[in-house]
Amino acid sequence: MKKLIIVLVVASFFYSCKDDKKDVVTEAETTTEDVSNMEKNLSKYVNFKLTADVSKLTEKERQMLPYLIEAANMMNDLFWYESYGDKSELLQSISDEKTKAFVEINYGPWDRLDGNVPFVKGVGPKPAGANFYPKDMTKEEFEAADIENKSSLYNFVRRDESGKLYSIPYHKQFESKLKEVSQLLIEASELAEDEGLKTYLELRAKALLDDNYQPSDLAWMDMKTNTIDIVIGPIETYEDQLFGNKAAHEGYVLIKDQEWSKRLAKFSAYLPELQVGLPVDEAYKKETPGTDSDLNAYDVVFYAGDCNSGSKTIAINLPNDEEVQLQKGTRRLQLKNAMRAKFDKILVPISKVLIDESQRKHITFDAFFSNTMFHEVAHGLGIKNTINGKGTVRTALKEHASALEEGKADILGLYMIQQLNAKGELTDDLKDNMVTFMAGIFRSVRFGASSAHGKANMIRFNFFKEKGAFTRNADGTYKVNFDKMETAMRDLSNLILTLQGNGDYDGVAQLVAEKGIISKELQADLDRLSDASIPVDVVFEQGTKVLGL
């Protein structure tokens, strides 16, 4: 791996919330082998500076950014508690600075790019429910327990002194911190010149204090003319791999790229038409996706919490609230500067090792951008509620819901590109999208198969392999078979949409068990990328100083 300068964005002085039930890690002597392994771990990441042209902002917009960055920064503390527990206790138990650095990147002692394998001595496997639940709690115990709002996105499950399970809302658990965050958003709102942004910030500030996020989600959907944006609060449920119920805290601070956004604005209008044409029976596409959706390009200038742990997000599709999605659609935010970093520093080098030489010309940034963008748009396709009375798809599929939803978005994103290409709305060579998509699987699967995205990647890879969508050459490179890939796209789309519509938990569990795995052959090919010193992901140098504020 390249010799990299790792710039950590989560400084060791951040306050961590205390969890008395977390095991204490005893300090152990660091060996030469430990140091070598940790250097290898750190070299999985390449440094990237998050910048943007702030000269295009108004004076008040520039004044807002420090408030928003400080508010987002505080999500780090909350996510540390959700992911692990007592950060201070963990770091104090470690003497090796490189190990501490890797702990910071992972928000805990488990390697997020290696299936959450523990890398700190004395630490066991990561609990499937992270720190959202008592680590000794079983699924059966939870399902049988009488707990207030037990499946809420916004509470922890804990034990009282008698061992009985109970819940505590986020706004109570984090009361002091969230009051500070709320006040920062209020102060930012007072500088907001855009009325939509002002309203959103005020409502989001309130939501942090009572866990009622729907009004602010609706306001976020309504704002159209803002240049500055912040995504903040408990949002994604990937960290809860026990039930997929609990949302984890994160924060992004963003600046809209107005020029690129104009190029993207028209595509959301095609969602209803594309929904009708989905390759699945009519019952599985009866819902009409919202068309009041935004599709915009942004430069992201700050990541914190869940989105900053391990592999970094390069696009956002929110809100997750199904009621808001059906009423308003979603907003898709393409994080252009972060996307460019991953393309230049990771995807192109990967293609030189694993893609057939004759097809490397099809690896393009425009295709990478389109594939990522339409992945986010495709979250709006399909249905949010099962067709047989099992409730929402997310509720019916439990901990497998996120993996299947990510798989759906990946494959339907490529389907959308194909359909829009046939309509003449996209003019790029579809082969670029397919080969870049294939290279993107290798990039993403290096994050491991433990996450929702990782499982989705492996299901798709193994399904494509079975269908002959690609071949592996004798030299270990891969070549896309274009016609067979188009067939595989339709078949996998049909399978995923049917499983979702049926709320078929057992069927999805079987799919994940059979195809959500990395074969020895593929792992050997991925190891060649490490041997070629190709990083797996990025860490960010970010904040007000980087922006020159």
Side-chain angles (χ1 to χ4, degrees):
M1 289 271 181
K2 296 176 183 177
K3 185 177 180 182
L4 305 173
I5 301 174
I6 303 298
V7 181
L8 296 174
V9 300
V10 186
S12 60
F13 58 80
F14 288 161
Y15 173 82
S16 292
C17 299
K18 180 71 176 173
D19 175 11
D20 293 330
K21 293 179 183 280
K22 187 61 64 177
D23 291 338
V24 176
V25 181
T26 57
E27 186 169 340
E29 183 179 349
T30 304
T31 67
T32 303
E33 182 181 1
D34 292 334
V35 173
S36 177
N37 288 338
M38 202 49 57
E39 288 175 347
K40 183 177 180 181
N41 283 335
L42 287 170
S43 67
K44 294 176 184 179
Y45 293 88
V46 61
N47 181 58
F48 183 75
K49 184 178 290 188
L50 281 180
T51 59
D53 184 1
V54 296
S55 67
K56 295 181 179 180
L57 302 178
T58 68
E59 180 61 30
K60 286 192 174 181
E61 285 172 339
R62 286 193 291 272
Q63 291 174 14
M64 285 178 66
L65 284 175
Y67 290 103
L68 298 180
I69 288 172
E70 187 178 352
N73 198 11
M74 294 181 74
M75 297 299 102
N76 285 308
D77 299 341
L78 311 190
F79 182 65
W80 252 104
Y81 178 75
E82 291 159 345
S83 170
Y84 175 78
D86 190 341
K87 171 187 176 181
S88 298
E89 182 181 66
L90 175 62
L91 291 178
Q92 288 169 11
S93 73
I94 301 168
S95 58
D96 177 58
E97 292 303 316
K98 289 184 172 64
T99 302
K100 287 184 179 181
F102 202 54
V103 165
E104 295 270 15
I105 291 172
N106 286 280
Y107 289 73
W110 302 286
D111 187 349
R112 292 175 180 271
L113 301 188
D114 188 21
N116 281 323
V117 170
F119 58 85
V120 174
K121 289 182 179 179
V123 172
K126 183 173 183 177
N131 195 35
F132 296 110
Y133 311 90
K135 66 180 181 178
D136 62 346
M137 185 197 77
T138 65
K139 282 189 174 184
E140 294 74 18
E141 182 184 13
F142 175 82
E143 289 169 348
D146 181 16
I147 306 170
E148 184 177 3
N149 296 322
K150 66 192 299 182
S151 296
S152 168
L153 293 167
Y154 309 125
N155 64 26
F156 293 98
V157 176
R158 294 290 179 255
R159 291 192 190 280
D160 62 21
E161 293 180 355
S162 67
K164 182 181 178 182
L165 297 176
Y166 70 98
S167 63
I168 178 169
Y170 288 173
H171 72 272
K172 292 294 185 184
Q173 178 71 34
F174 298 133
E175 185 172 7
S176 176
K177 284 282 184 182
L178 290 175
K179 283 181 179 178
E180 293 182 51
V181 178
S182 179
Q183 182 58 36
L184 287 165
L185 295 186
I186 291 296
E187 291 174 9
S189 74
E190 292 169 354
L191 292 166
E193 298 163 300
D194 182 272
E195 284 303 315
L197 176 59
K198 180 180 180 66
T199 299
Y200 164 63
L201 290 174
E202 290 172 346
L203 289 173
R204 202 65 173 183
K206 182 177 184 297
L208 289 165
L209 302 180
D210 63 11
D211 293 325
N212 179 19
Y213 286 93
Q214 192 171 89
S216 61
D217 282 347
L218 290 166
W220 190 67
M221 287 300 302
D222 286 339
M223 68 178 189
K224 305 292 185 184
T225 56
N226 58 302
T227 298
I228 301 295
D229 203 345
I230 184 170
V231 173
I232 189 168
I235 296 171
E236 304 291 358
T237 60
Y238 306 129
E239 193 70 10
D240 176 6
Q241 295 191 22
L242 189 63
F243 290 106
N245 279 343
K246 306 304 179 188
H249 283 80
E250 63 185 2
Y252 304 83
V253 180
L254 309 121
I255 300 173
K256 186 183 291 184
D257 187 316
Q258 301 287 4
E259 181 180 343
W260 272 70
S261 294
K262 287 177 183 176
R263 294 166 55 183
L264 308 179
K266 62 182 180 179
F267 291 118
S268 291
Y270 287 103
L271 278 173
E273 180 181 342
L274 292 166
Q275 174 88 343
V276 171
L278 288 174
V280 69
D281 290 344
E282 291 298 323
Y284 299 93
K285 50 186 177 181
K286 61 184 179 181
E287 295 175 0
T288 301
T291 57
D292 191 26
S293 301
D294 279 339
L295 187 59
N296 292 294
Y298 288 78
D299 283 328
V300 55
V301 295
F302 201 81
Y303 284 76
D306 190 16
C307 62
N308 194 47
S309 62
S311 60
K312 310 303 186 292
T313 304
I314 55 177
I316 304 169
N317 176 50
L318 292 170
N320 287 330
D321 186 322
E322 291 93 345
E323 293 180 6
V324 177
Q325 289 182 8
L326 289 173
Q327 181 180 341
K328 297 278 189 179
T330 60
R331 287 178 63 199
R332 288 90 175 192
L333 290 70
Q334 312 304 303
L335 311 184
K336 187 166 59 68
N337 54 346
M339 210 178 292
R340 173 59 78 172
K342 295 202 181 191
F343 180 81
D344 290 344
K345 294 178 177 291
I346 301 172
L347 191 70
V348 170
I350 284 174
S351 71
K352 293 177 180 178
V353 176
L354 292 183
I355 297 298
D356 184 273
E357 186 175 2
S358 69
Q359 293 189 342
R360 289 174 195 164
K361 62 186 178 184
H362 292 299
I363 304 290
T364 70
F365 179 72
D366 283 351
F368 182 57
F369 186 92
S370 294
N371 289 351
T372 306
M373 173 178 69
F374 284 106
H375 165 103
E376 301 305 332
V377 178
H379 277 298
L381 294 174
I383 52 179
K384 307 300 179 186
N385 299 289
T386 60
I387 67 171
N388 50 14
K390 292 185 179 180
T392 66
V393 171
R394 182 180 64 83
T395 300
L397 298 185
K398 301 179 184 179
E399 76 273 17
H400 298 307
S402 292
L404 201 65
E405 176 62 23
E406 293 305 324
K408 181 201 80 173
D410 281 331
I411 199 65
L412 290 189
L414 198 55
Y415 156 80
M416 290 184 70
I417 292 170
Q418 176 197 44
Q419 294 297 305
L420 291 170
N421 194 283
K423 289 171 63 66
E425 292 296 333
L426 294 175
T427 57
D428 295 335
D429 189 343
L430 186 60
K431 292 179 180 178
D432 292 355
N433 297 94
M434 290 185 175
V435 178
T436 303
F437 188 87
M438 187 71 202
I441 294 177
F442 296 125
R443 181 189 71 84
S444 298
V445 81
R446 295 177 79 201
F447 303 148
S450 64
S451 69
H453 291 85
K455 291 184 178 73
N457 273 299
M458 286 320 307
I459 289 169
R460 184 169 60 261
F461 179 88
N462 290 316
F463 190 92
F464 278 5
K465 183 177 181 181
E466 285 183 9
K467 297 291 183 178
F470 61 82
T471 53
R472 184 180 183 278
N473 301 323
D475 64 355
T477 59
Y478 290 76
K479 187 173 184 178
V480 173
N481 301 321
F482 297 109
D483 291 340
K484 290 184 178 180
M485 180 172 275
E486 289 200 41
T487 300
M489 285 163 46
R490 289 192 295 271
D491 291 347
L492 183 55
S493 297
N494 180 282
L495 174 61
I496 290 176
L497 290 168
T498 302
L499 288 168
Q500 285 188 321
N502 291 341
D504 186 355
Y505 176 86
D506 291 337
V508 179
Q510 182 178 352
L511 181 67
V512 170
E514 292 178 355
K515 290 189 169 62
I517 54 175
I518 300 175
S519 69
K520 290 183 179 179
E521 180 182 70
L522 176 59
Q523 187 59 58
D525 289 334
L526 298 176
D527 290 342
R528 288 164 48 210
L529 300 177
S530 299
D531 294 340
S533 299
I534 299 172
V536 179
D537 210 76
V538 291
V539 290
F540 296 123
E541 180 180 354
Q542 58 181 356
T544 53
K545 289 184 179 180
V546 173
L547 291 173
L549 297 173

